[in-house]
Amino acid sequence: MFSFLLRRLFSSILVLFFAVSLTFLLIRLLPGGPFDREKGGSAKVQENLQEKYKLNGSLWQQYTSYMADLARLDMRLSTKYRDWTVAEILEQKMPSSLKLGGIAFVIASTLGVLLGAVAAMRRDTPVDVGAMLGALLAISIPSFITGPFLIAVFALWLHWLPVGGWGDVSHLILPSICLSMPYIAYVARLMRNSLLDVLKSDFLRTARAKGLTEAQAVSRHALKVAILPVVTYLGPLAANLLTGSMIVETVFNISGAGSIFVNSIQNRDPFPLCGAVIVYCTLLIVFNLIVDLLYSVLDKRIRVHG
């Protein structure tokens, strides 16, 4: 186990290094710069700003200087939001995205597994057809249509929930549902197909032959194996949801982490973008590690070897 964790730590550092390096180099290679729209931006002003933010010199010098600062845990200042450090921007934006994404993840994983299992147990019945049809619709309809529809029905027509913004629990309901809907469908379809394969397996026929009812055989044996592909999908899904969705946050007027990616690219602001990438990759690495550890818990045939 120790050697496994040590190898994962080493590979995680490499992943973060290459992800941040590629992000920094790509945004610096884009046409334009962070100070092109500076008012009164003479050549001398541009030069002073580039020197202040360490964006002068060759691309290689900028890159090595930034990576050296990152090694000292200094993510620098934003070139767009002056006197704001990247850490302060992430601290302001991330909590709302983490809360929204966490709720959406619980909804997507719970309802997706439940609907998929019910559909598999009721294969080719109206329940199965209805669940899969609903999943297809949820996947096909984009969030920028689902969001306004939910607002029109539950906020403007029924007046049950607020239109948008960020406040108490009531403000979380509509965006959480909107964000989780397509992922409920993905998880449900994945769970259904996986469980259908497991229901045909030899070990489940043996369990039935020993006197277990269908419900007992499924709950005690089939679900633990069928859920493994779902667990694999939930790792990246958690990282994706927790770092926010630009579309959902825009529709419901939520200032979250999703806006960092788009605004940083538009403003050619490399440091918040790299900071957001660090957060996203770290979450992805952590949740994939949790998935690998869960494998050995859910299926005793799988062991984590060093």
XYZ file of all heavy atoms in Angstrom, residues 83-178:
711
model
N -4.032 43.888 -7.686
C -3.833 43.737 -6.239
C -4.609 42.559 -5.653
O -4.706 42.430 -4.436
C -4.221 45.030 -5.484
C -3.392 46.220 -5.937
O -2.194 46.019 -6.238
O -3.935 47.336 -6.001
N -5.183 41.717 -6.504
C -5.821 40.477 -6.050
C -4.880 39.313 -6.360
O -4.460 39.142 -7.502
C -7.148 40.254 -6.777
C -8.293 41.024 -6.195
C -8.503 42.360 -6.295
C -9.382 40.500 -5.438
N -9.661 42.708 -5.648
C -10.227 41.589 -5.112
C -9.733 39.227 -5.018
C -11.382 41.442 -4.371
C -10.898 39.068 -4.280
C -11.708 40.158 -3.955
N -4.553 38.543 -5.343
C -3.755 37.351 -5.591
C -4.659 36.250 -6.135
O -5.885 36.275 -5.946
C -3.073 36.853 -4.315
O -4.076 36.407 -3.380
C -2.242 37.960 -3.672
N -4.039 35.288 -6.806
C -4.801 34.156 -7.336
C -5.444 33.373 -6.194
O -6.584 32.899 -6.310
C -3.885 33.241 -8.175
C -4.611 31.963 -8.576
C -3.399 33.980 -9.409
N -4.733 33.241 -5.084
C -5.286 32.533 -3.924
C -6.550 33.212 -3.425
O -7.526 32.542 -3.051
C -4.239 32.455 -2.818
N -6.560 34.553 -3.411
C -7.748 35.294 -2.958
C -8.911 35.115 -3.931
O -10.070 34.992 -3.502
C -7.405 36.773 -2.802
C -6.480 37.075 -1.633
C -6.009 38.511 -1.628
O -6.039 39.170 -2.698
O -5.603 38.996 -0.546
N -8.612 35.097 -5.225
C -9.670 34.890 -6.227
C -10.283 33.501 -6.078
O -11.506 33.339 -6.084
C -9.102 35.090 -7.645
C -8.700 36.546 -7.850
C -10.128 34.666 -8.693
C -8.008 36.809 -9.174
N -9.428 32.486 -5.925
C -9.923 31.119 -5.743
C -10.704 31.000 -4.445
O -11.736 30.312 -4.390
C -8.751 30.134 -5.741
C -8.011 29.965 -7.077
C -6.788 29.081 -6.889
C -8.926 29.376 -8.140
N -10.236 31.652 -3.411
C -10.937 31.602 -2.123
C -12.320 32.228 -2.214
O -13.261 31.796 -1.543
C -10.099 32.319 -1.063
C -10.671 32.254 0.345
C -9.810 32.965 1.359
O -8.701 33.426 0.997
O -10.236 33.080 2.527
N -12.458 33.244 -3.063
C -13.754 33.900 -3.227
C -14.688 33.101 -4.129
O -15.889 33.010 -3.873
C -13.555 35.303 -3.802
C -14.856 36.095 -3.942
C -14.648 37.386 -4.703
O -14.215 37.386 -5.857
N -14.942 38.504 -4.058
N -14.136 32.507 -5.199
C -14.966 31.849 -6.203
C -15.275 30.388 -5.884
O -16.358 29.893 -6.208
C -14.268 31.916 -7.568
C -13.993 33.313 -8.080
C -15.236 33.987 -8.586
C -14.907 35.292 -9.287
N -16.115 35.984 -9.796
N -14.324 29.687 -5.265
C -14.456 28.242 -5.116
C -15.577 27.791 -4.180
O -16.247 26.788 -4.467
C -13.133 27.636 -4.654
C -12.068 27.537 -5.731
S -12.579 26.598 -7.185
C -12.900 24.993 -6.455
N -15.809 28.456 -3.028
C -16.832 27.923 -2.104
C -18.203 27.716 -2.720
O -18.849 26.692 -2.478
C -16.876 28.988 -0.991
C -15.516 29.582 -0.991
C -15.102 29.609 -2.434
N -18.665 28.673 -3.523
C -19.988 28.519 -4.137
C -20.007 27.353 -5.119
O -20.964 26.581 -5.170
C -20.408 29.812 -4.840
O -19.440 30.201 -5.795
N -18.926 27.199 -5.900
C -18.862 26.085 -6.849
C -18.760 24.745 -6.129
O -19.354 23.756 -6.556
C -17.666 26.262 -7.786
O -17.881 27.338 -8.674
N -17.992 24.705 -5.036
C -17.857 23.462 -4.277
C -19.186 23.048 -3.655
O -19.555 21.873 -3.666
C -16.785 23.621 -3.194
C -15.338 23.738 -3.681
C -14.403 24.004 -2.504
C -14.906 22.483 -4.423
N -19.898 24.024 -3.110
C -21.193 23.705 -2.500
C -22.203 23.255 -3.557
O -22.882 22.232 -3.382
C -21.728 24.925 -1.747
C -22.970 24.654 -0.918
C -23.425 25.917 -0.184
C -22.435 26.337 0.860
N -22.908 27.505 1.644
N -22.285 23.998 -4.641
C -23.209 23.651 -5.718
C -22.841 22.305 -6.343
O -23.700 21.439 -6.551
C -23.186 24.749 -6.781
C -24.002 24.503 -8.053
C -25.478 24.365 -7.722
C -23.780 25.640 -9.053
N -21.554 22.119 -6.623
C -21.109 20.865 -7.226
C -21.281 19.677 -6.304
O -21.603 18.576 -6.763
N -21.067 19.872 -4.993
C -21.246 18.784 -4.038
C -22.680 18.296 -3.991
O -22.946 17.081 -3.982
N -23.620 19.236 -3.972
C -25.038 18.858 -3.965
C -25.413 18.167 -5.273
O -26.113 17.144 -5.285
C -25.918 20.101 -3.729
C -25.642 20.689 -2.344
C -27.401 19.754 -3.862
C -26.336 22.006 -2.086
N -24.936 18.723 -6.393
C -25.232 18.119 -7.694
C -24.641 16.712 -7.794
O -25.254 15.812 -8.380
C -24.687 19.003 -8.812
N -23.458 16.510 -7.218
C -22.833 15.189 -7.253
C -23.653 14.167 -6.472
O -23.859 13.030 -6.924
C -21.423 15.266 -6.679
C -20.735 13.935 -6.578
C -20.194 13.341 -7.699
C -20.639 13.274 -5.364
C -19.566 12.104 -7.614
C -20.014 12.043 -5.271
C -19.473 11.460 -6.399
N -24.128 14.555 -5.291
C -24.950 13.646 -4.480
C -26.235 13.292 -5.222
O -26.654 12.121 -5.265
C -25.272 14.287 -3.114
C -26.285 13.439 -2.350
C -23.998 14.447 -2.290
N -26.868 14.300 -5.842
C -28.105 14.048 -6.588
C -27.836 13.121 -7.771
O -28.559 12.141 -7.993
C -28.712 15.376 -7.081
C -29.165 16.231 -5.895
C -29.897 15.114 -8.008
C -29.631 17.621 -6.292
N -26.785 13.419 -8.540
C -26.497 12.644 -9.748
C -26.140 11.199 -9.420
O -26.628 10.262 -10.059
C -25.362 13.303 -10.529
N -25.284 11.003 -8.407
C -24.851 9.645 -8.080
C -25.975 8.829 -7.458
O -26.180 7.659 -7.805
C -23.645 9.694 -7.141
O -23.934 10.438 -5.968
N -26.721 9.419 -6.536
C -27.783 8.688 -5.843
C -28.931 8.327 -6.785
O -29.310 7.152 -6.918
C -28.319 9.511 -4.665
O -27.235 9.847 -3.794
C -29.359 8.720 -3.892
N -29.485 9.345 -7.449
C -30.618 9.087 -8.342
C -30.203 8.268 -9.555
O -30.966 7.423 -10.035
C -31.237 10.413 -8.792
C -32.006 11.204 -7.733
C -32.636 12.444 -8.354
C -33.083 10.341 -7.086
N -28.990 8.508 -10.056
C -28.532 7.754 -11.220
C -28.411 6.264 -10.928
O -28.883 5.427 -11.714
N -27.781 5.925 -9.801
C -27.647 4.513 -9.426
C -29.019 3.894 -9.177
O -29.303 2.763 -9.612
C -26.746 4.380 -8.177
C -26.803 2.956 -7.626
C -25.310 4.744 -8.522
N -29.891 4.617 -8.494
C -31.225 4.094 -8.183
C -32.041 3.855 -9.449
O -32.623 2.769 -9.640
C -31.959 5.081 -7.264
C -33.370 4.690 -6.827
C -33.344 3.392 -6.034
C -34.010 5.800 -5.998
N -32.074 4.836 -10.339
C -32.851 4.687 -11.577
C -32.275 3.583 -12.462
O -33.026 2.803 -13.062
C -32.865 6.010 -12.343
C -33.736 7.128 -11.767
C -33.550 8.403 -12.567
C -35.206 6.717 -11.760
N -30.954 3.511 -12.536
C -30.333 2.474 -13.353
C -30.611 1.077 -12.830
O -30.890 0.152 -13.602
N -30.553 0.910 -11.501
C -30.825 -0.398 -10.910
C -32.284 -0.805 -11.104
O -32.575 -1.957 -11.453
C -30.482 -0.364 -9.420
N -33.201 0.134 -10.905
C -34.625 -0.167 -11.092
C -34.907 -0.517 -12.549
O -35.657 -1.463 -12.839
C -35.487 1.027 -10.631
C -36.944 0.824 -11.028
C -35.386 1.212 -9.121
N -34.308 0.231 -13.477
C -34.521 -0.035 -14.903
C -34.005 -1.421 -15.285
O -34.637 -2.138 -16.068
C -33.836 1.040 -15.738
N -32.842 -1.806 -14.725
C -32.287 -3.132 -15.035
C -33.155 -4.246 -14.458
O -33.358 -5.287 -15.102
C -30.862 -3.237 -14.489
N -33.658 -4.033 -13.233
C -34.508 -5.047 -12.603
C -35.860 -5.158 -13.293
O -36.520 -6.199 -13.211
C -34.702 -4.706 -11.129
C -33.431 -4.759 -10.285
S -32.745 -6.418 -10.176
C -34.027 -7.218 -9.209
N -36.285 -4.093 -13.965
C -37.588 -4.092 -14.675
C -37.350 -3.979 -16.171
O -38.019 -3.217 -16.861
C -38.441 -2.914 -14.191
C -38.757 -2.921 -12.718
C -39.745 -4.021 -12.363
N -40.153 -3.931 -10.971
C -39.542 -4.515 -9.961
N -38.454 -5.255 -10.208
N -39.969 -4.391 -8.729
N -36.428 -4.745 -16.682
C -36.023 -4.634 -18.078
C -37.201 -4.854 -19.034
O -38.028 -5.753 -18.834
C -34.927 -5.662 -18.381
C -34.386 -5.595 -19.791
C -33.353 -6.643 -20.030
N -32.788 -6.540 -21.375
C -31.886 -7.364 -21.865
N -31.439 -8.374 -21.115
N -31.435 -7.203 -23.092
N -37.261 -3.971 -20.055
C -38.273 -4.041 -21.115
C -39.697 -3.820 -20.603
O -40.659 -4.174 -21.289
C -38.204 -5.382 -21.850
C -36.880 -5.578 -22.569
O -36.276 -4.562 -22.982
O -36.438 -6.738 -22.703
N -39.833 -3.233 -19.429
C -41.146 -2.854 -18.907
C -41.321 -1.347 -19.106
O -40.363 -0.642 -19.443
C -41.271 -3.208 -17.426
O -40.343 -2.407 -16.672
C -40.979 -4.685 -17.183
N -42.518 -0.828 -18.897
C -42.702 0.630 -19.004
C -41.776 1.421 -18.075
O -41.387 2.548 -18.419
C -44.176 0.811 -18.620
C -44.823 -0.466 -19.020
C -43.813 -1.528 -18.747
N -41.427 0.847 -16.924
C -40.504 1.531 -16.007
C -39.142 1.707 -16.666
O -38.537 2.793 -16.629
C -40.368 0.739 -14.686
C -39.304 1.365 -13.797
C -41.704 0.680 -13.959
N -38.654 0.643 -17.288
C -37.358 0.691 -17.956
C -37.391 1.659 -19.130
O -36.499 2.497 -19.293
C -36.988 -0.719 -18.427
C -35.647 -0.769 -19.147
O -34.788 0.087 -18.859
O -35.452 -1.672 -19.975
N -38.410 1.549 -19.959
C -38.524 2.423 -21.128
C -38.631 3.886 -20.704
O -37.974 4.769 -21.273
C -39.738 2.018 -21.981
C -39.934 3.011 -23.128
C -39.561 0.604 -22.530
N -39.445 4.155 -19.684
C -39.617 5.526 -19.209
C -38.335 6.100 -18.632
O -37.981 7.264 -18.890
N -37.607 5.292 -17.846
C -36.355 5.756 -17.250
C -35.318 6.064 -18.316
O -34.635 7.097 -18.268
C -35.816 4.717 -16.274
N -35.174 5.191 -19.301
C -34.181 5.413 -20.347
C -34.578 6.545 -21.292
O -33.714 7.267 -21.807
C -33.961 4.119 -21.133
C -33.251 3.035 -20.336
S -31.618 3.542 -19.684
C -32.028 3.959 -17.967
N -35.884 6.712 -21.522
C -36.342 7.842 -22.337
C -36.053 9.161 -21.626
O -35.586 10.130 -22.233
C -37.832 7.714 -22.639
C -38.459 8.840 -23.485
C -37.767 8.920 -24.848
C -39.953 8.622 -23.656
N -36.334 9.177 -20.321
C -36.016 10.368 -19.538
C -34.522 10.656 -19.532
O -34.094 11.816 -19.612
N -33.699 9.607 -19.449
C -32.249 9.784 -19.480
C -31.799 10.358 -20.822
O -30.931 11.237 -20.885
C -31.559 8.448 -19.211
N -32.381 9.865 -21.899
C -32.030 10.369 -23.233
C -32.383 11.847 -23.372
O -31.599 12.633 -23.924
C -32.746 9.544 -24.295
C -32.476 9.935 -25.756
C -31.000 9.777 -26.088
C -33.333 9.087 -26.693
N -33.539 12.238 -22.869
C -33.944 13.642 -22.931
C -33.011 14.517 -22.096
O -32.632 15.618 -22.513
C -35.387 13.796 -22.439
C -36.482 13.246 -23.351
C -37.844 13.333 -22.670
C -36.501 13.996 -24.679
N -32.646 14.035 -20.893
C -31.763 14.808 -20.016
C -30.391 15.016 -20.650
O -29.772 16.073 -20.484
C -31.621 14.105 -18.672
N -29.900 14.001 -21.376
C -28.604 14.124 -22.038
C -28.700 15.043 -23.259
O -27.782 15.819 -23.546
C -28.089 12.734 -22.463
C -27.779 11.892 -21.225
C -26.853 12.850 -23.341
C -27.449 10.448 -21.538
N -29.807 14.981 -23.959
C -29.948 15.700 -25.233
C -30.198 17.189 -25.045
O -29.763 18.003 -25.880
C -31.088 15.092 -26.052
O -30.879 13.713 -26.277
N -30.899 17.564 -23.971
C -31.250 18.974 -23.773
C -30.122 19.674 -23.023
O -29.786 19.289 -21.893
C -32.568 19.104 -22.991
C -33.697 18.396 -23.744
C -32.916 20.574 -22.777
C -35.011 18.387 -22.988
N -29.505 20.706 -23.579
C -28.377 21.380 -22.923
C -28.825 22.204 -21.718
O -30.009 22.567 -21.587
C -27.806 22.279 -24.026
C -28.942 22.483 -24.968
C -29.777 21.243 -24.927
N -27.871 22.522 -20.864
C -28.174 23.241 -19.619
C -28.698 24.646 -19.863
O -29.482 25.157 -19.056
C -26.915 23.308 -18.743
O -26.470 22.024 -18.385
N -28.277 25.285 -20.975
C -28.754 26.648 -21.219
C -30.218 26.672 -21.646
O -30.814 27.750 -21.761
C -27.877 27.371 -22.247
C -27.802 26.731 -23.599
C -28.803 26.927 -24.530
C -26.722 25.942 -23.943
C -28.730 26.340 -25.787
C -26.638 25.354 -25.202
C -27.639 25.560 -26.123
N -30.806 25.501 -21.899
C -32.257 25.408 -22.131
C -32.954 24.915 -20.866
O -34.006 25.433 -20.482
C -32.558 24.472 -23.317
C -32.028 25.084 -24.620
C -34.053 24.187 -23.425
C -32.240 24.217 -25.833
N -32.367 23.921 -20.204
C -32.964 23.385 -18.972
C -33.050 24.452 -17.894
O -34.066 24.565 -17.197
C -32.124 22.197 -18.458
O -31.980 21.231 -19.495
C -32.792 21.567 -17.250
N -31.977 25.245 -17.733
C -31.948 26.268 -16.686
C -33.070 27.283 -16.809
O -33.856 27.480 -15.873
N -33.209 27.981 -17.959
C -34.317 28.933 -18.114
C -35.686 28.283 -17.980
O -36.634 28.912 -17.482
C -34.102 29.483 -19.530
C -32.634 29.355 -19.752
C -32.243 28.082 -19.063
N -35.823 27.021 -18.422
C -37.108 26.338 -18.273
C -37.455 26.148 -16.787
O -38.595 26.396 -16.371
C -37.060 24.981 -18.974
C -38.294 24.139 -18.772
C -39.457 24.413 -19.467
C -38.287 23.084 -17.858
C -40.608 23.651 -19.264
C -39.423 22.322 -17.653
C -40.585 22.597 -18.358
N -36.476 25.712 -15.992
C -36.716 25.548 -14.552
C -37.047 26.883 -13.892
O -37.917 26.955 -13.020
C -35.479 24.924 -13.892
C -35.154 23.473 -14.266
C -33.839 23.037 -13.633
C -36.276 22.532 -13.836
N -36.355 27.935 -14.309
C -36.631 29.264 -13.759
C -38.045 29.713 -14.116
O -38.788 30.238 -13.267
C -35.593 30.280 -14.284
C -34.212 29.984 -13.691
C -36.013 31.708 -13.935
C -33.104 30.833 -14.278
N -38.434 29.495 -15.382
C -39.767 29.927 -15.829
C -40.870 29.211 -15.061
O -41.875 29.828 -14.681
C -39.904 29.678 -17.337
N -40.687 27.902 -14.801
C -41.741 27.118 -14.147
C -41.763 27.350 -12.649
O -42.791 27.720 -12.063
C -41.559 25.614 -14.461
C -42.555 24.780 -13.652
C -41.743 25.358 -15.948
N -40.629 27.133 -11.982
C -40.615 27.103 -10.525
C -40.372 28.472 -9.873
O -40.696 28.656 -8.702
C -39.546 26.119 -10.035
C -39.831 24.697 -10.400
C -39.186 24.099 -11.473
C -40.769 23.956 -9.689
C -39.451 22.781 -11.821
C -41.045 22.640 -10.041
C -40.391 22.053 -11.107
N -39.808 29.425 -10.621
C -39.561 30.750 -10.049
C -40.579 31.783 -10.524
O -41.181 32.481 -9.709
C -38.144 31.209 -10.407
N -40.791 31.855 -11.839
C -41.660 32.902 -12.376
C -43.134 32.515 -12.368
O -44.006 33.380 -12.183
C -41.217 33.258 -13.795
C -39.772 33.764 -13.929
C -39.447 34.062 -15.386
C -39.556 34.994 -13.065
N -43.443 31.244 -12.591
C -44.839 30.808 -12.667
C -45.366 30.387 -11.298
O -46.355 30.936 -10.794
C -44.973 29.671 -13.677
C -46.385 29.176 -13.851
C -47.533 29.911 -13.731
C -46.784 27.838 -14.149
N -48.633 29.118 -13.947
C -48.203 27.831 -14.207
C -46.102 26.655 -14.396
C -48.934 26.683 -14.473
C -46.826 25.516 -14.677
C -48.220 25.526 -14.710
N -44.703 29.422 -10.666
C -45.171 28.905 -9.380
C -44.696 29.732 -8.188
O -45.283 29.627 -7.097
C -44.708 27.450 -9.204
C -45.244 26.451 -10.240
C -44.620 25.081 -10.028
C -46.771 26.358 -10.157
N -43.641 30.511 -8.365
C -43.086 31.347 -7.293
C -42.657 30.524 -6.081
O -42.774 30.969 -4.940
C -44.102 32.418 -6.859
C -44.533 33.324 -7.964
N -43.722 34.298 -8.517
C -45.713 33.375 -8.651
C -44.367 34.922 -9.477
N -45.579 34.390 -9.586
N -42.150 29.340 -6.326
C -41.685 28.492 -5.232
C -40.240 28.783 -4.840
O -39.871 28.647 -3.676
C -41.807 27.012 -5.632
C -43.216 26.498 -5.688
C -44.345 27.173 -5.339
C -43.640 25.207 -6.133
N -45.461 26.406 -5.537
C -45.060 25.181 -6.026
C -42.987 24.090 -6.619
C -45.803 24.061 -6.367
C -43.733 22.978 -6.964
C -45.120 22.960 -6.838
N -39.435 29.154 -5.821
C -38.002 29.298 -5.601
C -37.495 30.590 -6.216
O -38.121 31.138 -7.136
C -37.250 28.099 -6.216
C -37.567 26.732 -5.605
C -37.028 25.623 -6.501
C -36.990 26.601 -4.204
N -36.365 31.121 -5.725
C -35.810 32.355 -6.298
C -35.276 32.134 -7.713
O -34.906 31.018 -8.083
C -34.681 32.720 -5.330
C -34.322 31.444 -4.649
C -35.597 30.651 -4.553
N -35.237 33.218 -8.477
C -34.802 33.144 -9.868
C -33.332 32.780 -9.968
O -32.921 31.967 -10.789
C -35.070 34.481 -10.583
C -34.463 34.479 -11.982
C -36.559 34.758 -10.647
N -32.514 33.366 -9.135
C -31.072 33.106 -9.192
C -30.365 33.787 -8.047
O -30.969 34.151 -7.041
N -29.073 33.960 -8.196
C -28.278 34.576 -7.147
C -27.744 33.537 -6.171
O -27.862 32.330 -6.377
N -27.160 34.051 -5.099
C -26.523 33.178 -4.111
C -26.936 33.639 -2.722
O -26.763 34.791 -2.360
C -24.998 33.237 -4.257
C -24.289 32.187 -3.473
C -23.577 32.360 -2.332
C -24.231 30.798 -3.772
N -23.063 31.166 -1.903
C -23.442 30.186 -2.771
C -24.760 30.002 -4.787
C -23.188 28.814 -2.763
C -24.497 28.652 -4.776
C -23.722 28.069 -3.778
N -27.517 32.723 -1.947
C -27.977 33.081 -0.612
C -28.213 31.862 0.245
O -27.290 31.106 0.547
N -29.489 31.627 0.607
C -29.802 30.490 1.461
C -29.972 29.211 0.630
O -29.680 29.171 -0.565
C -31.050 30.773 2.299
C -32.251 31.167 1.434
O -32.284 30.766 0.253
O -33.143 31.858 1.947
N -30.492 28.162 1.283
C -30.616 26.849 0.644
C -31.533 26.897 -0.573
O -31.303 26.170 -1.565
C -31.145 25.816 1.669
C -31.344 24.455 1.009
C -30.177 25.693 2.837
N -32.552 27.747 -0.533
C -33.498 27.804 -1.647
C -32.829 28.216 -2.957
O -33.289 27.848 -4.041
C -34.636 28.778 -1.320
O -34.142 30.099 -1.139
N -31.721 28.980 -2.860
C -31.018 29.400 -4.072
C -30.228 28.255 -4.705
O -29.799 28.365 -5.863
C -30.057 30.554 -3.754
C -30.737 31.837 -3.432
N -31.239 32.133 -2.178
C -31.024 32.918 -4.210
C -31.778 33.339 -2.183
N -31.666 33.831 -3.398
N -30.035 27.176 -3.965
C -29.225 26.064 -4.463
C -30.034 25.019 -5.218
O -29.470 24.238 -5.986
C -28.514 25.366 -3.292
C -27.413 26.143 -2.580
C -26.999 25.418 -1.312
C -26.222 26.324 -3.496
N -31.341 24.997 -5.006
C -32.155 23.891 -5.511
C -32.171 23.840 -7.037
O -31.817 22.819 -7.650
C -33.585 23.988 -4.953
C -33.561 23.841 -3.425
C -34.475 22.900 -5.571
C -34.908 24.028 -2.761
N -32.581 24.925 -7.672
C -32.698 24.915 -9.138
C -31.347 24.715 -9.836
O -31.250 23.879 -10.741
C -33.370 26.199 -9.622
C -34.864 26.344 -9.311
C -35.415 27.623 -9.920
C -35.642 25.143 -9.844
N -30.297 25.463 -9.461
C -29.017 25.212 -10.156
C -28.458 23.818 -9.914
O -27.835 23.238 -10.805
C -28.091 26.297 -9.588
C -28.745 26.788 -8.361
C -30.205 26.617 -8.561
N -28.694 23.256 -8.721
C -28.212 21.897 -8.443
C -28.922 20.884 -9.327
O -28.291 19.969 -9.875
C -28.423 21.549 -6.968
O -27.691 22.402 -6.134
N -30.228 21.041 -9.474
C -30.993 20.137 -10.334
C -30.557 20.284 -11.784
O -30.337 19.294 -12.492
C -32.504 20.416 -10.197
C -32.983 20.051 -8.788
C -33.300 19.623 -11.241
C -34.416 20.440 -8.511
N -30.406 21.538 -12.224
C -29.995 21.790 -13.611
C -28.616 21.199 -13.895
O -28.397 20.581 -14.943
C -29.996 23.292 -13.865
S -29.536 23.760 -15.548
